[in-house]
């Protein structure tokens, strides 16, 4: 038996670094000042930072300095999360969220990867840390909540650039807590099939054959929590010139374009991690597990997690268990459940950076074949006229006789990964004859309409997700136009049709018409049913039907989600089956509840959607506080759950009678190639998180109406709309 290894929490190492940097060294300061002198930040009249550096590393330095100017608290919080140190800020409630991160993202491995990284990447990582640390040096009024000094290995805590993208085979922090505390150990939970998700994305690509200019176009429309990403440009004399959105704290463009290629990502359910049923027993007082008829020692690691309790700092030691598959994270019946995943890698960061400098379709495919992205699909267009779609990126090769959606037998070699699929083996589409591609967090088998890949040609684990109403709506509207312009692309991206009600409202009308006029429900529901029956199913701020439909639909949602006999992940099939099987009372009583609830809240049920569905940005805090007494803007959009292409998820909050948006459309951009790049964009609220800045809400009204601004990609255009030009620290 191997000797049990005990690993102490990396935070003690981090704390020692923070102490050693309490006073920045003269050498560091000289390095920062030299880097700053080689960087110019130009803010355009929207406050968007355009970073110009002599080297790529200089551009990264300037980019992080500018990000910290705009929203240091979000930069810091993203790294607090990825370090597994949330409980040190938020208290005991986040201990198991931190433990989950520590189990699947090992800071020691990130430090090792940084040490072994190619020199060019170490320079970028050092510039990343220098940019943040120089900002803190120049802005002593900025008080970090935890991280007083950033380290160059921090960027290696992320795999694909999406801060929340942790792949754990459906196992969550509650499952982890249940196992490691002994509470409810036999329960293994899985995500709900679909709900009013706070995240998502739409990506559309258009080939020259269906554009008026005969150049390719890309529509970038991620759906995330508000203020999740800023809009930036980074340029260097080493061939870097890229524009788009970064997640706070990234040093590469996550979704955007350069002069040659444009890309955007949609979230994916592609199976990139697996759970294993381990047969565990004790031998000589130590845990062992069975594999291929042999007993292997369970590795134990003592993980120390710090947490805040009032004004005190405390810690808890948790003994974590590992098999060769990975960390043990749950228990099901008598089996421990371990998880194999790939949640951080050196290749992931290399891929994210090199993508920014791709110059052709072949170049982009070569970068994709690094396979460092575990959570995203990619929609693509380029200056050569190509459009393409890849469903997932990092996908392990597995034996197809097993159901990889559930825990598999961990005692046999047959369930081991057999390598990783190459980029040409995963589901992909290149230049389909219909001329367009779409993905809306949906099945790849509708990505090009009739020209889509066939499900039977691929293993189930490559595309476990079902369809959703956004994708159905996208396929319908994208087929309607053959001469796309930027304006027409934006119009498609803001189509407000709510496809989910195609089946629900006819079923409701039929249920109502089965009533007799003397029935008590008839008089109570006659007017609401008539409003919905006559509705064109497009949302709008002046629409009473939108408000009524959303309130009613939310009450139906639990029944729809749990309908049996339909594809568990396919929202349309579940909804259609529910509409066909629901009794009249199952449809009518929720409408009555919705009507009564609206009347109680507002004094009447005939309330236009925009009167209560609002956009409000007051504080710029990580968690916005909403207030009916403060100014807000009406919004006609709804959650993408109902099939609407643009997403605006809103909710009631304690003390509010109105709904306020919290997620949905974020950075939106349409890019058109040609002799010169043409692009237009839109950002939630504005670039800055400072309420005193005019860029805190200068895009708010545009955002609520779907109005776009011009992107200034070329330096002469930036200078023509200059607001401020400076070196970092000036």
């Amino acid at each position: 038996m191997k000797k049990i290894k005990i690993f102490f929490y990396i935070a003690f190492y981090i704390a020692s670094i923070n102490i050693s940097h309490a006073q920045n060294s003269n050498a560091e300061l000289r390095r920062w000042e030299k880097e700053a002198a080689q960087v110019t930040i130009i803010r355009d009249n929207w406050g968007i930072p355009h970073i110009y550096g002599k080297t790529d590393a200089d551009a990264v330095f300037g980019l992080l300095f500018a990000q910290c100017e705009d929203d240091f608290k979000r930069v810091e919080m993203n790294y607090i999360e990825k370090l597994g140190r949330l409980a040190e800020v938020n208290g005991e409630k986040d201990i198991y969220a931190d433990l989950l991160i520590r189990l699947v993202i090992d800071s020691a491995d990130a430090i090792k990867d940084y040490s072994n990284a190619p020199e060019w990447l170490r320079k970028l990582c050092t510039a990343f840390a220098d940019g943040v640390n120089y900002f803190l040096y120049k802005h002593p009024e900025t008080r970090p909540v935890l991280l007083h000094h950033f380290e160059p290995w921090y960027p290696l805590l992320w795999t694909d650039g999406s801060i929340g993208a942790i792949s754990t085979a459906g196992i969550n922090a509650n499952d982890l807590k249940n196992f490691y505390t002994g509470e409810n150990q036999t329960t293994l939970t899985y995500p709900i099939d679909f709900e009013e998700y706070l995240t998502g994305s739409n990506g559309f690509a258009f080939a020259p054959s269906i554009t008026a200019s005969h150049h390719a176009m890309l529509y970038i429309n991620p759906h995330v929590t508000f203020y999740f990403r800023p809009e930036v440009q980074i340029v260097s004399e080493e061939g870097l010139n890229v524009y788009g959105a970064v997640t706070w704290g990234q040093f590469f463009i996550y979704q955007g374009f350069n002069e040659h290629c444009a890309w955007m990502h949609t979230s994916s359910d592609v199976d990139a991690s697996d759970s294993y049923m381990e047969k565990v027993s004790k031998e000589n007082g130590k845990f062992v597990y069975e594999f291929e008829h042999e007993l292997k020692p369970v590795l134990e690691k003592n993980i120390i997690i710090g947490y805040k309790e009032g004004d005190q700092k405390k810690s808890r030691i948790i003994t974590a268990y590992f098999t060769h598959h990975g960390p043990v994270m749950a228990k099901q019946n008598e089996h421990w459940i371990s998880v194999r995943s790939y949640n951080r890698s050196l290749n992931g960061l290399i891929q994210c950076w090199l993508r920014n400098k791709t110059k052709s379709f072949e170049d982009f495919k070569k970068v994709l074949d690094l396979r460092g992205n575990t959570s995203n699909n990619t929609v693509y267009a380029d200056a050569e006229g190509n459009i393409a779609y890849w469903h997932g990126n990092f996908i392990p090769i597995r034996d197809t006789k097993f159901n990889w959606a559930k825990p598999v037998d961990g005692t046999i070699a047959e369930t081991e990964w057999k390598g990783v699929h190459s980029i040409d083996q995963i589901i992909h589409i290149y230049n389909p004859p219909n001329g367009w591609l779409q993905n809306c967090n949906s099945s790849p088998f509708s990505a090009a309409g009739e020209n889509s890949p066939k499900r039977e040609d691929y293993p189930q684990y490559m595309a476990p997700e079902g369809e959703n109403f956004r994708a159905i709506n996208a396929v319908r509207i994208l087929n309607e136009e053959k001469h796309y312009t930027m304006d027409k692309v934006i119009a498609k991206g803001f189509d407000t049709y709510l496809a989910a009600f195609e089946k629900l409202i006819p079923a409701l009308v039929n249920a109502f018409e089965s009533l007799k006029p003397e029935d008590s429900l008839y008089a109570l529901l006659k007017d609401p049913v008539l409003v919905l029956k006559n509705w064109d199913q497009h949302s709008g701020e002046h629409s009473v039907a939108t408000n009524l439909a959303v309130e009613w639909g939310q009450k139906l949602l639990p029944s729809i989600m749990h309908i049996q006999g339909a594809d568990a992940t396919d929202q349309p099939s579940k909804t259609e089956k529910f509409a066909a099987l629901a009794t009249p009372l199952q449809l009518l009583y929720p409408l009555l509840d919705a009507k009564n609830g609206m009347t109680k809240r507002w004094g009447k049920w005939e309330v236009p959607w925009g009167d209560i569905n609002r956009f409000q940005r007051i504080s710029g805090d990580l968690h916005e506080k909403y207030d009916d007494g403060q100014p807000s803007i009406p919004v006609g959009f709804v959650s993408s759950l109902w099939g609407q292409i643009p997403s605006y998820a809103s909710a009631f909050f304690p003390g509010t009678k109105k709904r306020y948006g919290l997620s949905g459309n974020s950075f939106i951009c349409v890019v058109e190639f040609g002799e010169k790049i043409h692009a237009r964009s839109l950002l939630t609220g504005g670039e800055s998180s400072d309420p005193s800045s005019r860029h805190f809400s200068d895009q708010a009204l545009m955002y609520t109406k779907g109005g776009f601004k011009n992107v200034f990609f070329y330096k002469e255009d930036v200078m023509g709309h200059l607001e401020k030009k400076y070196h970092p620290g000036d």
Side-chain angles (χ1 to χ4, degrees):
M1 172 162 309
K2 294 181 181 178
K3 184 179 180 181
I4 296 173
K5 299 178 182 179
I6 299 179
F7 293 79
F8 288 96
Y9 171 35
I10 198 72
F12 290 116
Y13 167 78
I14 297 168
S16 67
I17 291 173
N18 288 341
I19 293 169
S20 71
H21 287 292
Q23 298 295 326
N24 296 299
S25 70
N26 288 332
E28 266 189 326
L29 183 55
R30 287 195 298 271
R31 185 175 75 243
W32 297 344
E33 289 175 339
K34 181 181 178 180
E35 290 175 306
Q38 297 186 145
V39 176
T40 300
I41 301 174
I42 302 177
R43 298 273 182 174
D44 66 27
N45 56 1
W46 295 100
I48 308 303
H50 303 258
I51 318 297
Y52 298 89
K54 288 186 178 298
T55 67
D56 288 353
D58 293 335
V60 166
F61 176 92
L63 172 62
L64 268 297
F65 191 95
Q67 286 187 46
C68 292
E69 289 182 305
D70 288 332
D71 205 333
F72 172 77
K73 58 186 173 295
R74 283 183 168 82
V75 172
E76 182 189 19
M77 188 54 66
N78 280 348
Y79 283 99
I80 290 173
E81 178 186 340
K82 275 294 184 281
L83 287 162
R85 300 182 67 185
L86 283 173
E88 294 177 57
V89 177
N90 299 331
E92 192 174 11
K93 69 182 181 66
D94 280 331
I95 284 177
Y96 288 93
D98 285 347
L99 179 62
L100 186 148
I101 292 292
R102 304 280 185 74
L103 292 179
V104 299
I105 299 178
D106 192 329
S107 295
D109 288 340
I111 294 169
K112 186 186 301 181
D113 274 354
Y114 169 73
S115 299
N116 296 330
E119 183 180 1
W120 66 264
L121 185 59
R122 289 200 306 275
K123 287 181 178 179
L124 298 181
C125 291
T126 299
F128 149 86
D130 285 351
V132 179
N133 293 329
Y134 188 51
F135 170 82
L136 291 173
Y137 171 76
K138 296 296 288 188
H139 294 272
E141 74 280 4
T142 298
R143 302 294 180 88
V145 297
L146 190 64
L147 305 178
H148 295 270
H149 194 278
F150 276 57
E151 296 302 319
W153 51 267
Y154 282 6
L156 285 155
L157 296 168
W158 300 17
T159 296
D160 56 30
S162 193
I163 186 70
I166 299 296
S167 182
T168 56
I171 294 174
N172 58 37
N174 285 333
D175 297 317
L176 199 63
K177 181 180 180 181
N178 288 342
F179 177 76
Y180 282 102
T181 61
E183 300 173 8
N184 196 22
Q185 282 193 358
T186 59
T187 299
L188 183 62
T189 60
Y190 288 95
I192 296 173
D193 299 330
F194 61 88
E195 58 179 326
E196 193 157 1
Y197 287 122
L198 300 183
T199 58
S201 294
N202 303 324
F204 304 153
F206 305 88
S209 61
I210 62 168
T211 64
S213 67
H214 304 297
H215 297 296
M217 301 172 71
L218 184 71
Y219 185 73
I220 301 169
N221 180 205
H223 300 162
V224 293
T225 51
F226 286 173
Y227 325 117
F228 189 73
R229 296 190 178 108
E231 182 175 346
V232 303
Q233 182 179 19
I234 44 177
V235 184
S236 82
E237 295 175 15
E238 294 183 337
L240 178 70
N241 188 1
V242 60
Y243 192 107
V246 299
T247 305
W248 295 107
Q250 289 176 336
F251 65 70
F252 52 85
I253 298 295
Y254 179 61
Q255 311 204 67
F257 60 93
N258 59 34
E259 291 181 287
H260 310 283
C261 305
W263 60 92
M264 76 86 54
H265 301 299
T266 59
S267 300
S268 177
D269 287 337
V270 172
D271 192 348
S273 60
D274 289 308
S275 55
Y276 290 83
M277 295 181 290
E278 307 287 10
K279 189 175 180 180
V280 178
S281 58
K282 272 195 171 182
E283 186 179 82
N284 299 323
K286 304 293 184 182
F287 286 115
V288 293
Y289 69 101
E290 182 180 325
F291 182 72
E292 286 294 296
H293 307 294
E294 293 183 7
L295 294 180
K296 294 178 172 290
V298 172
L299 177 66
E300 297 183 11
K301 297 181 182 181
N302 279 358
I303 297 179
I304 304 174
I305 297 184
Y307 65 96
K308 183 178 73 172
E309 188 175 279
D311 295 330
Q312 293 184 309
K313 294 180 179 179
K314 295 189 174 183
S315 63
R316 182 174 301 176
I317 300 174
I318 298 175
T319 301
Y321 303 108
F322 296 77
T323 71
H324 74 280
H325 294 122
V328 176
M329 299 181 69
K331 186 175 182 181
Q332 187 176 45
N333 299 323
E334 297 305 313
H335 294 286
W336 286 13
I337 305 297
S338 64
V339 173
R340 185 169 186 182
S341 61
Y342 186 66
N343 282 304
R344 57 147 310 280
S345 71
L346 181 61
N347 263 8
L349 183 58
I350 291 174
Q351 179 174 332
C352 287
W353 177 259
L354 292 182
R355 184 170 58 222
N356 285 192
K357 301 185 78 169
T358 51
K359 295 182 178 180
S360 67
F361 189 35
E362 291 305 315
D363 197 14
F364 196 88
K365 286 193 290 184
K366 187 182 298 183
V367 170
L368 274 182
D369 212 26
L370 288 169
R371 291 166 285 177
N373 189 327
T374 61
S375 68
N376 291 326
N377 312 313
T378 303
V379 188
Y380 169 90
D382 67 28
E384 298 172 321
N386 297 295
I387 64 171
Y389 174 72
W390 294 270
H391 198 69
N393 184 239
F394 173 86
I395 307 177
I397 300 170
R398 307 160 170 100
D399 190 326
T400 56
K401 73 182 178 185
F402 297 101
N403 178 9
W404 295 95
K406 301 291 184 182
V408 295
D409 188 347
T411 69
I412 56 176
E414 288 178 286
T415 57
E416 297 295 289
W417 288 356
K418 319 296 182 186
V420 181
H421 287 282
S422 70
I423 199 67
D424 288 327
Q425 291 175 330
I426 69 174
I427 302 171
H428 63 274
I429 313 170
Y430 302 155
N431 299 315
N434 55 296
W436 56 261
L437 287 165
Q438 67 81 27
N439 186 261
C440 300
N441 313 111
S442 49
S443 166
F445 306 120
S446 64
E450 294 179 354
N451 299 289
S452 303
K454 305 301 181 188
R455 186 180 296 274
E456 58 269 21
D457 294 338
Y458 296 92
Q460 174 66 22
Y461 60 73
M462 278 193 181
E465 55 270 280
E467 201 55 273
N468 63 39
F469 283 113
R470 264 183 298 141
I472 288 175
N473 201 13
V475 170
R476 176 182 62 83
I477 63 175
L478 293 179
N479 264 329
E480 294 172 349
E481 178 60 53
K482 301 301 179 186
H483 297 90
Y484 275 101
T485 63
M486 294 182 79
D487 286 336
K488 290 178 179 178
V489 168
I490 290 171
K492 297 299 184 187
F494 276 79
D495 185 273
T496 59
Y497 185 68
L498 308 187
F501 292 103
E502 278 186 359
K503 302 296 181 183
L504 294 174
I505 289 178
L508 174 74
V509 172
N510 288 338
F512 176 77
E513 291 178 348
S514 71
L515 298 176
K516 296 178 180 179
E518 58 269 24
D519 288 343
S520 59
L521 275 179
Y522 188 93
L524 293 170
L525 293 179
K526 179 181 178 181
D527 290 339
V529 170
L530 186 61
V531 166
L532 292 176
K533 182 178 180 180
N534 293 332
W535 181 40
D536 65 1
Q537 293 176 35
H538 285 267
S539 73
E541 63 180 83
H542 302 296
S543 169
V544 171
T546 302
N547 196 0
L548 187 62
V550 169
E551 291 287 332
W552 173 58
Q554 288 175 331
K555 295 183 183 301
L556 295 180
L557 194 57
S559 298
I560 296 172
M561 289 165 59
H562 294 101
I563 196 76
Q564 300 298 311
D567 186 335
T569 64
D570 193 290
Q571 181 191 12
S573 68
K574 278 180 166 286
T575 304
E576 184 172 0
K577 185 159 188 180
F578 170 79
L581 297 178
T583 66
L585 295 184
Q586 286 178 307
L587 293 161
L588 295 171
Y589 272 122
L591 181 62
L592 181 62
D593 287 345
K595 176 191 172 186
N596 291 340
M598 293 164 70
T599 302
K600 182 178 180 180
R601 184 179 290 269
W602 302 303
K604 60 180 181 178
W605 64 268
E606 306 96 325
V607 181
W609 179 237
D611 284 7
I612 58 104
N613 190 55
R614 315 290 289 188
F615 176 84
Q616 186 178 77
R617 192 180 195 191
I618 301 173
S619 68
D621 292 340
L622 291 174
H623 303 290
E624 186 68 70
K625 302 294 192 297
Y626 300 101
D627 184 349
D628 288 342
Q630 295 292 321
S632 60
I633 303 172
V635 181
F637 309 126
V638 305
S639 166
S640 61
L641 170 71
W642 309 110
Q644 183 169 275
I645 299 298
S647 178
Y648 189 82
S650 63
F652 299 108
F653 292 87
T656 74
K657 292 177 64 178
K658 298 177 182 178
R659 303 172 64 110
Y660 294 96
L662 67 161
S663 73
N665 284 355
S666 55
F667 167 76
I668 318 169
C669 186
V670 57
V671 186
E672 182 175 25
F673 290 98
E675 291 184 11
K676 294 185 71 175
I677 288 280
H678 294 281
R680 291 161 67 185
S681 66
L682 181 59
L683 198 63
T684 312
E687 179 77 11
S688 175
S689 67
D690 180 1
S692 68
S693 169
R694 73 186 188 93
H695 302 305
F696 180 70
S697 58
D698 57 346
Q699 297 183 56
L701 186 60
M702 298 161 53
Y703 177 80
T704 63
K705 307 299 181 187
F708 283 55
K709 64 185 184 297
N710 290 324
V711 164
F712 307 126
F713 182 73
Y714 298 98
K715 193 167 186 179
E716 59 267 27
D717 295 326
V718 176
M719 294 302 294
H721 298 84
L722 181 147
E723 179 179 273
K724 184 180 180 183
K725 179 180 178 181
Y726 58 101
H727 299 296
D730 284 356

